[in-house]
Each structure stands twice: as structure tokens, then as C-alpha cells.
Amino acid sequence: MTLRRWLALALVLLGGVRAEAQGRVVPPPTEPTRKARVVPAPGASQPRKPRPQAKPKATATKPARSRAQVPVRTPVPAPATPENRPPAAIPAPGGPGNDLSVTLITFGPGPVAFERFGHNALWIHDGRRGTDVAYNWGLFSFDQPGFYRRFLTGDTKYWMAGEDAYAMVAAYHNAGRSITLQKLNLSPAQAYALREAVERNALEANKYYRYDYFRDNCSTRLRDAVDRAVGGALRAATDTMRTALTYRGESERLTEGDVPLQAGIDIALGRPADAPLSAWESFFIPMRLRDAVRIVRIPGAYGEMVPLVAEERRMAPAAGAPSVQESRTIPQHTRRNLIAGLVLAAVVMLLRLLMRSQRWAAWLFALLGMAWSLLCGTLGVVLLLAWFATKHVFWAQNENLLLFSPLSLALVALVPSAVLAGRAVRRARVVGALVAAMALGALVLSQMPGGQPIRDVVALALPMHLALAWALLLYLPRRSEPKPAPKR
């Protein structure tokens, strides 16, 4: 496993995979940032000055441009103009918002761990100013003062800003990300209100917020901005729609194929991550928001109900760039984990039987028992601290503490002491039995209605706990006590 994958797994176990899932690393806010480049609107009609007649020149054959040389901006949807609006929605000339169009950009999953959850932004075209700015709420910097401390305690600071929309789309396209562009069917007044709101949000005094990777991230902030612009119609249409989705299920679905990452998510998340979500809550995933706005209807300029999306276009990833297909189902790894757990348990039991005649088997058994107990105990301490000492709400009430208990740390010393030296045998047996009993309790709770769905973790950890407890309960030679000297 490469260093990058170990770091990704560490981020998950610290509750931060969502904190990186949709954001992009940017320079610290104290550094000067590049302003959005003013570019012509895609497909917008621009008044042109008449060109003087040029003298005829000799023609020359010009090589055709390859597909890779075609600018990315060609498939971008043209912004709304008074000419292509329905006649009933034509605004009064010169009114605010006449020259604005808003496009929701959704970037699909990427191959890196923190790209698996997608990203989104609002592209606002202003025909009067001649600008195209993409606003996103996923900016952060490792160089912020106290970044790692705030990250560990769940108090990460993110901010929003606008940047050149064309450059943003081109960067994601060249990185192999799928792109969906949905032109929103906003009235001039709604588009103007949205533009004013995001520009006000981008001010230095307003752009920072405490990032929560489920309830307050770049996608939920964008969702809220659009909802306010349409008078709450988006929330009214989706907040009462219950789904079978959960925060845990969505996280595991989007990390399919990355075994360490999925294991970290399953261990780190507690019971709050398993509550069924409304459609509104599921929009913490940009792709869920993209799919929902296709069917939502909002009040139009004169109160009539119109589709929220007026036009949609998709851009395929750049040829040759690594791309990731979004998984549609929650993976189930109980059988695979059970096989791995049974293999580990069989190794422990075999070494325990060989201990009767082979001294090396005792050493291997002691080392394996120490390593397993150290892993379980350390995870237990991390989960316990995350529950009570941080702001990570979704780490609370974590039944994985029954499988990864801090009590296992005692076995780090008791197992080699009992196996190799014959000391503290009774204490080793008692602690081993308690750890195994707690793991059985986790199995029972996971099978109960409404229990935390941690069957995959139980299948991996329970066989090992039971095998270690069984091995310690077998006969172990105690250290012989020195006999008292006979009295003379």
C-alpha cells in the first residue's frame, strides 16, 4: 500500500474524508488570489464592429486541428437571452437580471480518495459585464493557522470564492472528471437575487464557515443558495420525500473498490450516520442534487410552475484521462470479511496447538496476539475520544467500540506474559473473555431492527476475538512458585 493510500485511510479514521471530499486545496486566504478572467459568454451574441475590406491573399493549406486541440468551452450551453426565452417570460428591457444566466455545474467522481464524492459550482454569466464566474464553497488550505488541530476536533474552516468558469471546467475536464451543465430556469429577478447573494457571500467578512462533511459542505451550501433564490421551492419539493439512503451507505457506495477506505468509513461512523435521509438531506452528494433538479418545478416569472432546469448538457471526460464510474449500489462485503476473519482465527488456533511442542509457535502466537490487541485498543481509544472530545457528530454512539475496545490494550502486555512466561494467566483469560463477550454483543446489536449496520466489521473482528479468548482459556503452564526451604 502506497503512502498516499495510508494517508487517505488516516483521513477517514480521523473523520475527514468528507472534509476533503469536495474541496480543493488553495493558497492561504492571506495570499493574493487570481481574479476571474473576463471571457466572452458561451454562445452569446456580441456586437461586432465592421471589419475593413482586406486585400486578397494567397491561400495556403492549413492543417486540421485535432480533437485534443478543440477548446473545452465549445460544448458549454449558451446562456439564456431575451431572444430564446418563452414570450410570457420576456422581462422589461433594462431590468435587473436581464443579462444573467445561471448554470449548475456538477463534476463526477475522480480516482483519488478525496475526489470520490464529486464536486459542484454555480456558473453565473453576466452579459452586461461580460464575465463568467464559477462560485464554489469547497476551498481550504493546509497552511491555515491551526488547520490540523481544527481538522481533528471537527472545527475545520472552509470558504467560498469565485473563479474563471472556463478555466474551472477545463481543469476538471482534463483531469478525467465527467461534467454536467444544467442551465437553471430562473426569472431575471431570481437570477439577480442569486448573483447578489453569492457575491455578498464571497466578501472577506462572509466567506468562511465551519465545514461539516455531511450537513454543511460545498454541495449543501450551493443547494441553500439556489433554494433561497427560488423562494424555498426546492426544499418544499424535497424535504418531505423520505428515502432509503443514509450517510454511511452513500459514503460506502462512492468509495466502492477502495477496501481500506471503506473499512475506515465503516469503523469511524456511529449510529447517527444510519438515520434515513430525506431527498433534501441527500443533496450533500453533488450528483444527488444534479439528479433531483431535473424533476423539480418552481414558480416562474408570473407565478406559473416551470421546470427548474431549462437545458442540460454533458461533457465526457478527456480521452486518456483516468475516470471513475459512479457506483449505484451499496457494496456488501460481509462474506469476504468473514473469510478473512476465519483465516486469521485459524492461524491463531493452529499456533496455539503447536505451542505444546514448538517454542517458535509460542513466540508467533504472542506477537500476533499483541499486534491484534494493539490495533483494536488503539482504534477504541480514537473512537472514544472522537465521541466525547470532538465536534464530529457522526462519530457519536459508535457500536464499533464493542469490537475495538480500549480494554484490548491490556492484552498487549498480558498475552506475552501469560504465553511466554506463565505469568498473569488468570488476568489474561478474564480480559480475553470480556473482549470476546463484547464482540458477541456487537453481533447481537447488529442483527436487531434499527441496529448499527456493522455486519462487515463484525464478520472480520469477531472470529479473531473468539479465537484469542479460546487460546488463552486452554491450559497454560504457570510459573512454578519456589518451594519454601524445609525447617530444620
Side-chain angles (χ1 to χ4, degrees):
M1 185 180 292
T2 64
L3 179 59
R4 169 175 279 184
R5 292 176 63 81
W6 278 114
L7 291 175
L9 178 57
L11 288 175
V12 174
L13 296 180
L14 294 174
V17 67
R18 286 294 308 158
E20 295 232 16
Q22 301 172 4
R24 294 188 298 114
V25 181
V26 298
T30 55
E31 297 183 11
T33 56
R34 184 176 63 87
K35 293 184 178 180
R37 177 169 57 93
V38 178
V39 292
S45 57
Q46 302 284 342
R48 297 183 178 180
K49 297 181 180 180
R51 299 179 62 180
Q53 291 287 338
K55 295 182 178 180
K57 297 181 180 180
T59 58
T61 304
K62 187 177 181 180
R65 297 172 65 182
S66 65
R67 182 175 297 272
Q69 295 173 317
V70 177
V72 177
R73 69 184 64 174
T74 52
V76 176
T81 62
E83 289 75 18
N84 61 24
R85 290 185 186 272
I90 297 179
N98 283 320
D99 299 306
L100 297 177
S101 67
V102 180
T103 299
L104 170 60
I105 316 173
T106 304
F107 305 104
V112 184
F114 55 81
E115 298 174 343
R116 300 297 289 269
F117 294 84
H119 188 41
N120 53 15
L122 282 177
W123 179 342
I124 298 182
H125 163 69
D126 189 330
R128 180 173 301 177
R129 299 177 182 175
T131 59
D132 289 88
V133 183
Y135 293 91
N136 83 94
W137 284 260
L139 304 178
F140 70 98
S141 173
F142 289 114
D143 296 327
Q144 287 177 296
F147 175 85
Y148 294 99
R149 174 185 55 80
R150 298 171 68 94
F151 178 80
L152 293 173
T153 58
D155 193 24
T156 308
K157 181 185 292 186
Y158 272 50
W159 69 90
M160 69 87 68
E163 59 182 284
D164 179 357
Y166 286 113
M168 186 179 195
V169 170
Y172 279 92
H173 173 74
N174 295 332
R177 308 283 287 274
S178 64
I179 301 174
T180 304
L181 302 112
Q182 296 168 305
K183 186 174 65 178
L184 301 185
N185 194 17
L186 304 182
S187 68
Q190 291 169 337
Y192 180 78
L194 180 57
R195 197 272 305 274
E196 292 296 298
V198 296
E199 287 187 346
R200 191 162 52 248
N201 195 175
L203 296 176
E204 185 67 23
N206 303 328
K207 66 182 182 179
Y208 297 99
Y209 69 101
R210 189 174 77 83
Y211 188 94
D212 184 297
Y213 42 88
F214 287 144
R215 300 181 304 180
D216 196 359
N217 63 20
C218 60
S219 187
T220 62
R221 288 262 164 169
L222 184 151
R223 171 203 68 185
D224 295 345
V226 173
D227 183 61
R228 285 190 293 268
V230 298
L234 178 58
R235 181 163 191 166
T238 59
D239 200 20
T240 57
M241 296 174 57
R242 306 310 299 179
T243 73
L245 306 175
T246 65
Y247 290 124
R248 183 192 303 273
E250 288 292 88
S251 300
E252 292 181 350
R253 174 178 70 88
L254 293 171
T255 55
E256 171 63 6
D258 196 321
V259 176
L261 197 57
Q262 284 185 320
I265 290 172
D266 228 358
I267 293 171
L269 296 181
R271 185 180 286 271
D274 301 312
L277 304 177
S278 67
W280 171 263
E281 292 170 325
S282 73
F283 297 160
F284 82 99
I285 299 295
M287 290 75 75
R288 293 290 185 191
L289 178 60
R290 173 202 63 194
D291 297 340
V293 296
R294 292 170 177 154
I295 60 174
V296 171
R297 300 178 71 85
I298 62 171
Y302 297 103
E304 76 284 8
M305 301 302 291
V306 298
L308 178 54
V309 175
E311 180 183 348
E312 177 174 319
R313 296 189 184 182
R314 301 181 186 180
M315 296 175 60
S323 60
V324 174
Q325 295 296 323
E326 179 185 354
S327 175
R328 294 296 180 180
T329 59
I330 301 175
Q332 300 293 332
H333 300 307
T334 304
R335 182 176 180 181
R336 181 199 65 191
N337 289 1
L338 181 59
I339 293 175
L342 290 175
V343 169
L344 287 174
V347 172
V348 169
M349 297 171 69
L350 179 61
L351 290 175
R352 180 62 186 86
L353 295 176
L354 291 175
M355 279 173 51
R356 298 178 178 178
S357 58
Q358 304 292 333
R359 183 63 176 173
W360 60 264
W363 278 96
L364 285 181
F365 174 83
L367 289 174
L368 184 57
M370 289 173 60
W372 174 255
S373 300
L374 180 61
L375 174 63
C376 294
T378 302
L379 287 176
V381 171
V382 171
L383 296 181
L384 201 61
L385 290 175
W387 183 347
F388 293 104
T390 75
K391 297 180 181 180
H392 292 294
V393 176
F394 296 94
W395 281 46
Q397 307 172 41
N398 197 336
E399 293 173 9
N400 281 311
L401 276 166
L402 295 174
L403 293 166
F404 305 106
S405 169
L407 187 61
S408 293
L409 291 177
L411 292 176
V412 176
L414 291 176
V415 168
S417 179
V419 171
L420 299 178
R423 299 174 178 172
V425 174
R426 178 172 296 180
R427 279 177 285 179
R429 289 174 173 172
V430 170
V431 175
L434 285 175
V435 170
M438 293 171 66
L440 286 171
L443 172 64
V444 173
L445 290 176
S446 68
Q447 300 300 319
M448 295 177 63
Q452 188 172 326
I454 53 174
R455 298 177 184 86
D456 291 354
V457 186
V458 171
L460 178 63
L462 179 59
M464 187 66 175
H465 285 312
L466 293 176
L468 188 59
W470 170 83
L472 292 173
L473 287 174
L474 289 184
Y475 172 75
L476 289 172
R478 287 183 172 83
R479 182 184 180 187
S480 58
E481 298 292 336
K483 297 182 179 180
K487 297 182 179 179
R488 293 182 179 178

